[in-house]
mmCIF file of all heavy atoms in Angstrom:
data_model
loop_
_atom_site.group_PDB
_atom_site.id
_atom_site.type_symbol
_atom_site.label_atom_id
_atom_site.label_comp_id
_atom_site.label_asym_id
_atom_site.label_seq_id
_atom_site.Cartn_x
_atom_site.Cartn_y
_atom_site.Cartn_z
ATOM 1 N N THR A 309 193.083 24.488 49.529
ATOM 2 C CA THR A 309 191.757 24.815 49.878
ATOM 3 C C THR A 309 190.777 23.743 49.469
ATOM 4 O O THR A 309 189.619 23.852 49.596
ATOM 5 C CB THR A 309 191.319 26.071 49.114
ATOM 6 O OG1 THR A 309 191.452 25.806 47.708
ATOM 7 C CG2 THR A 309 192.064 27.282 49.492
ATOM 8 N N GLU A 310 191.401 22.570 49.086
ATOM 9 C CA GLU A 310 190.469 21.453 48.570
ATOM 10 C C GLU A 310 190.867 20.205 49.287
ATOM 11 O O GLU A 310 191.982 19.967 49.830
ATOM 12 C CB GLU A 310 190.656 21.263 47.115
ATOM 13 C CG GLU A 310 190.169 22.483 46.319
ATOM 14 C CD GLU A 310 190.302 22.310 44.818
ATOM 15 O OE1 GLU A 310 191.287 21.640 44.305
ATOM 16 O OE2 GLU A 310 189.398 22.677 44.105
ATOM 17 N N ARG A 311 189.924 19.196 49.247
ATOM 18 C CA ARG A 311 190.210 17.897 49.860
ATOM 19 C C ARG A 311 189.959 16.912 48.736
ATOM 20 O O ARG A 311 189.018 17.056 48.019
ATOM 21 C CB ARG A 311 189.224 17.596 51.043
ATOM 22 C CG ARG A 311 189.335 18.533 52.185
ATOM 23 C CD ARG A 311 190.336 18.208 53.181
ATOM 24 N NE ARG A 311 189.889 17.129 54.017
ATOM 25 C CZ ARG A 311 189.224 17.292 55.214
ATOM 26 N NH1 ARG A 311 188.919 18.514 55.562
ATOM 27 N NH2 ARG A 311 188.850 16.276 55.972
ATOM 28 N N GLN A 312 190.754 15.770 48.758
ATOM 29 C CA GLN A 312 190.517 14.688 47.779
ATOM 30 C C GLN A 312 189.518 13.705 48.415
ATOM 31 O O GLN A 312 189.613 13.364 49.578
ATOM 32 C CB GLN A 312 191.824 13.846 47.643
ATOM 33 C CG GLN A 312 192.842 14.443 46.751
ATOM 34 C CD GLN A 312 192.418 14.613 45.287
ATOM 35 O OE1 GLN A 312 192.343 15.725 44.820
ATOM 36 N NE2 GLN A 312 192.059 13.617 44.545
ATOM 37 N N ILE A 313 188.586 13.270 47.553
ATOM 38 C CA ILE A 313 187.709 12.167 47.939
ATOM 39 C C ILE A 313 187.911 11.074 46.982
ATOM 40 O O ILE A 313 187.877 11.226 45.774
ATOM 41 C CB ILE A 313 186.273 12.590 47.930
ATOM 42 C CG1 ILE A 313 185.923 13.697 48.944
ATOM 43 C CG2 ILE A 313 185.331 11.420 48.192
ATOM 44 C CD1 ILE A 313 184.482 14.105 49.093
ATOM 45 N N THR A 314 188.223 9.783 47.511
ATOM 46 C CA THR A 314 188.385 8.718 46.596
ATOM 47 C C THR A 314 187.202 7.726 46.836
ATOM 48 O O THR A 314 186.845 7.364 47.914
ATOM 49 C CB THR A 314 189.678 7.911 46.964
ATOM 50 O OG1 THR A 314 190.713 8.941 47.075
ATOM 51 C CG2 THR A 314 189.987 6.913 45.897
ATOM 52 N N ILE A 315 186.517 7.417 45.673
ATOM 53 C CA ILE A 315 185.355 6.570 45.699
ATOM 54 C C ILE A 315 185.787 5.258 44.988
ATOM 55 O O ILE A 315 186.196 5.267 43.855
ATOM 56 C CB ILE A 315 184.214 7.160 44.891
ATOM 57 C CG1 ILE A 315 183.961 8.637 45.453
ATOM 58 C CG2 ILE A 315 182.932 6.354 45.024
ATOM 59 C CD1 ILE A 315 182.923 9.394 44.628
ATOM 60 N N THR A 316 185.561 4.102 45.621
ATOM 61 C CA THR A 316 185.894 2.852 45.090
ATOM 62 C C THR A 316 184.713 1.924 45.049
ATOM 63 O O THR A 316 183.934 1.878 46.004
ATOM 64 C CB THR A 316 187.019 2.110 45.945
ATOM 65 O OG1 THR A 316 187.996 3.154 46.281
ATOM 66 C CG2 THR A 316 187.652 1.021 45.222
ATOM 67 N N GLY A 317 184.514 1.264 43.867
ATOM 68 C CA GLY A 317 183.370 0.381 43.785
ATOM 69 C C GLY A 317 183.167 -0.001 42.359
ATOM 70 O O GLY A 317 183.986 0.315 41.496
ATOM 71 N N SER A 318 181.999 -0.540 42.037
ATOM 72 C CA SER A 318 181.604 -0.774 40.643
ATOM 73 C C SER A 318 181.292 0.519 40.010
ATOM 74 O O SER A 318 180.966 1.470 40.693
ATOM 75 C CB SER A 318 180.482 -1.731 40.534
ATOM 76 O OG SER A 318 179.334 -1.081 40.989
ATOM 77 N N PRO A 319 181.327 0.642 38.661
ATOM 78 C CA PRO A 319 181.022 1.932 37.961
ATOM 79 C C PRO A 319 179.662 2.465 38.449
ATOM 80 O O PRO A 319 179.530 3.613 38.699
ATOM 81 C CB PRO A 319 180.995 1.566 36.552
ATOM 82 C CG PRO A 319 181.939 0.448 36.376
ATOM 83 C CD PRO A 319 181.741 -0.367 37.699
ATOM 84 N N ALA A 320 178.753 1.522 38.590
ATOM 85 C CA ALA A 320 177.372 2.008 39.001
ATOM 86 C C ALA A 320 177.400 2.571 40.393
ATOM 87 O O ALA A 320 176.797 3.571 40.745
ATOM 88 C CB ALA A 320 176.420 0.902 38.959
ATOM 89 N N ASN A 321 178.143 1.896 41.379
ATOM 90 C CA ASN A 321 178.236 2.416 42.743
ATOM 91 C C ASN A 321 178.852 3.778 42.752
ATOM 92 O O ASN A 321 178.419 4.707 43.483
ATOM 93 C CB ASN A 321 179.183 1.568 43.637
ATOM 94 C CG ASN A 321 178.742 0.163 43.880
ATOM 95 O OD1 ASN A 321 179.306 -0.724 43.208
ATOM 96 N ND2 ASN A 321 177.804 -0.078 44.679
ATOM 97 N N ILE A 322 179.909 3.928 41.983
ATOM 98 C CA ILE A 322 180.674 5.161 41.912
ATOM 99 C C ILE A 322 179.723 6.258 41.362
ATOM 100 O O ILE A 322 179.700 7.390 41.942
ATOM 101 C CB ILE A 322 181.916 5.025 41.044
ATOM 102 C CG1 ILE A 322 182.956 4.148 41.685
ATOM 103 C CG2 ILE A 322 182.528 6.392 40.728
ATOM 104 C CD1 ILE A 322 184.169 3.790 40.973
#
Side-chain angles (χ1 to χ4, degrees):
T309 56
E310 297 181 321
R311 301 272 281 272
Q312 280 300 115
I313 296 186
T314 310
I315 307 171
T316 314
S318 69
N321 296 103
I322 291 176

